[in-house]
């Protein structure tokens, strides 16, 4: 409800300070009884609130499960994540996002699920998305850009995610063009960018993010254990999924606004700082062929430039990269 949102915004703005029932009632425009009722509901959801006589309330712990309220608390964006659809179990958040985008959901709308039973990667591959351990979400954007520039959004998202992981865990992830985020060579996050477009006009871009957060090695199916990792495995301690989500929202909004204002160039520089494949010998596989050569960099549009063993330059728009 709007009252609940206002209440969480009030706690967000108060930071570490206590808020008295009276002050909250005035801030959000309701009775003190209504304030108590909402505080009780937050407790039932798993929030821990400290109550100090003559001072008031302060939130000291947020629930393990991601809740809409927890995402609201501390969120400092203007549009990304302001409208969140939260689901317990879905086939794929992409599917829901496509439907919402078609129904004119505002830019920045996000669908988050605790579990996906038919999570997907590129080219209809499967994405393993077990319950309560990862971040499985889709974000709707509506940039006014020509169709060929859409892949730039994948690179931009990768930068936002790497920065959020760095900020929260101190781990140093790397980006493998175009859409993999790796730690020590293993995949911790995948990004799937899909489009709704008519002729050459983009209606919406749906950015799917799958991040392994608190899985143990045994939580992965055997075939993924050698190629996948989680932040918990790398860091040795649990990481708050909602803090990560909020970090991603904040970075993504900042970079996206920069991108709309100044184009891809500033994003490209940031991206290159995290990229691993550049300057290395790689193989790029597409459905129809494969090229081996040295990755030279990306164009100003985000296309991969490779020089093969005969000195011929190739522009790679979409492929799987082997290092
Ligand atoms: P991709 O095609 O680059 O990678 C898919 C491949 O990654 C799989 O074939 C498998 O080898 C491996 N893989 C599967 N699950 C995992 C995992 N949990 N961790 C590491 N490796 C894995 C990458 O596609 C894009 C993934 C996007 C996922 C998000 S989740 C929210 C949204 N909804 C949805 O259905 N997809 C996106």
């Amino acid at each position: 409800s709007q009252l609940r949102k206002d209440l969480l915004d009030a706690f967000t703005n108060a930071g570490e300070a206590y808020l008295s029932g009276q002050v909250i009632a005035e801030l959000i425009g309701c009775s003190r009884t209504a304030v108590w009722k909402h505080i009780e509901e937050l407790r039932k959801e798993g929030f821990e609130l400290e109550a100090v006589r003559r001072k008031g309330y302060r939130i000291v712990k947020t629930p393990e499960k991601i809740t809409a309220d927890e995402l609201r608390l501390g969120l400092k964006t203007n549009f990304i994540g302001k409208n969140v659809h939260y689901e317990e179990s879905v086939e794929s958040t992409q599917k829901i996002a496509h439907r919402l985008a078609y129904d004119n959901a505002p830019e920045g709308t996000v669908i988050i699920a605790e579990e996906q039973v038919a999570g997907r990667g590129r080219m209809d591959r499967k994405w393993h998305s077990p319950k309560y351990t990862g971040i499985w979400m889709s974000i709707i954007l509506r940039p006014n850009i020509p169709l060929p520039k859409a892949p730039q959004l994948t690179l931009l998202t990768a930068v936002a995610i790497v920065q959020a992981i760095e900020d929260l865990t101190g781990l140093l992830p790397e980006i493998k063009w175009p859409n993999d985020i790796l730690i020590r060579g293993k995949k911790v996050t995948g990004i799937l960018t899909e489009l709704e477009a008519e002729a050459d006009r983009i209606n919406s871009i749906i950015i799917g993010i799958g991040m392994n957060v608190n899985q143990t090695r045994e939580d992965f199916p055997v075939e993924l254990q050698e190629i996948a990792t989680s932040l918990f495995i790398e860091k040795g301690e649990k990481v708050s999924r909602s803090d990560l989500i909020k970090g991603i929202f904040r970075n993504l909004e900042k970079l996206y606004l920069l991108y709309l204002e100044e184009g891809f160039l500033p994003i490209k520089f940031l991206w290159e700082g995290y990229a691993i494949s550049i300057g290395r010998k790689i193989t790029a596989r597409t459905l129809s062929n494969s090229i081996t050569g040295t990755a030279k960099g990306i164009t100003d549009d985000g296309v991969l430039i490779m020089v093969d063993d005969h000195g011929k330059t190739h522009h790679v728009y979409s492929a799987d990269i082997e290092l």
Side-chain angles (χ1 to χ4, degrees):
S1 71
Q2 189 58 41
L3 268 189
R4 178 73 68 87
K5 285 183 181 167
D6 292 344
L7 176 65
L8 290 159
D9 289 347
F11 277 118
T12 301
N13 295 333
E16 295 286 293
Y18 293 87
L19 284 178
S20 72
Q22 182 63 39
V23 167
I24 297 173
E26 278 165 18
L27 279 175
I28 70 180
C30 69
S31 69
R32 291 179 67 168
T33 319
V35 171
W36 289 326
K37 206 187 93 205
H38 279 282
I39 284 181
E40 268 327 296
E41 278 172 16
L42 285 180
R43 285 195 166 122
K44 279 194 200 123
E45 266 182 32
F47 281 87
E48 278 176 32
L49 285 105
E50 185 186 25
V52 175
R53 237 177 99 83
R54 291 181 190 282
K55 281 188 173 170
Y57 300 95
R58 194 168 74 158
I59 294 180
V60 289
K61 198 164 175 280
T62 52
E64 170 95 356
K65 204 165 139 173
I66 304 170
T67 67
D69 288 341
E70 193 194 2
L71 284 182
R72 182 85 189 179
L73 183 71
L75 182 66
K76 292 187 177 124
T77 55
N78 286 320
F79 57 100
I80 294 183
K82 281 284 164 182
N83 181 12
V84 176
H85 294 249
Y86 177 82
E87 308 283 346
E88 185 73 8
S89 179
V90 300
E91 280 183 15
S92 156
T93 56
Q94 290 295 97
K95 228 172 135 175
I96 300 176
H98 278 286
R99 202 183 63 223
L100 289 170
Y102 184 79
D103 288 341
N104 290 321
E107 176 162 58
T109 297
V110 182
I111 299 86
I112 300 178
E114 288 290 1
E115 168 190 60
Q116 296 184 117
V117 293
R120 53 178 205 245
R122 292 178 303 154
M123 295 174 261
D124 273 333
R125 289 186 286 225
K126 290 197 175 97
W127 188 259
H128 185 243
S129 324
K131 212 162 195 173
Y132 301 138
T133 53
I135 295 172
W136 327 121
M137 67 178 177
S138 301
I139 303 172
I140 300 173
L141 294 179
R142 302 186 185 279
N144 186 7
I145 55 169
L147 214 53
K149 293 199 185 294
Q152 295 174 339
L153 269 299
T154 304
L155 307 187
L156 185 152
T157 304
V159 174
I161 292 171
V162 168
Q163 290 178 339
I165 295 177
E166 258 186 31
D167 288 350
L168 262 135
T169 65
L171 294 166
L172 299 174
E174 297 175 303
I175 305 173
K176 191 175 89 170
W177 186 91
N179 72 329
D180 284 347
I181 297 176
L182 312 179
I183 299 181
R184 292 191 305 123
K186 291 181 170 187
K187 189 138 108 183
V188 73
T189 298
I191 305 165
L192 175 68
T193 310
E194 295 178 317
L195 291 179
E196 296 268 351
E198 288 163 30
D200 57 353
R201 210 184 75 90
I202 293 177
N203 278 333
S204 57
I205 293 190
I206 313 236
I207 301 177
I209 298 173
M211 186 188 291
N212 303 321
V213 183
N214 288 324
Q215 290 104 317
T216 62
R217 193 180 148 86
E218 292 69 39
D219 288 334
F220 288 103
V222 180
E223 69 273 19
L224 291 182
Q225 285 181 1
E226 295 305 319
I227 59 167
T229 191
S230 74
L231 297 179
F232 173 74
I233 294 171
E234 298 302 322
K235 171 97 179 145
E237 54 190 68
K238 291 266 167 86
V239 183
S240 155
R241 288 180 297 151
S242 51
D243 285 350
L244 276 165
I245 294 171
K246 282 180 272 194
I248 295 170
F249 288 171
R250 191 175 54 240
N251 297 340
L252 188 62
E253 184 169 298
K254 204 170 66 196
L255 293 172
Y256 180 62
L257 291 174
L258 177 70
Y259 170 78
L260 294 180
E261 188 84 9
E262 296 186 23
F264 185 62
L265 207 57
I267 311 298
K268 180 179 177 227
F269 286 124
L270 290 169
W271 186 89
E272 283 170 340
Y274 297 115
I276 33 172
S277 22
I278 309 306
R280 285 170 67 172
K281 185 108 177 190
I282 61 169
T283 298
R285 272 184 220 291
T286 62
L287 285 179
S288 50
N289 70 345
S290 82
I291 310 163
T292 298
T294 306
K296 290 291 175 188
I298 53 172
T299 67
D300 291 348
D301 279 343
V303 176
L304 182 67
I305 308 164
M306 280 180 71
V307 175
D308 70 18
D309 297 343
H310 309 290
K312 188 167 177 255
T313 300
H314 300 259
H315 281 185
V316 182
Y317 291 85
S318 159
D320 280 312
I321 303 298
E322 284 162 29
L323 298 172

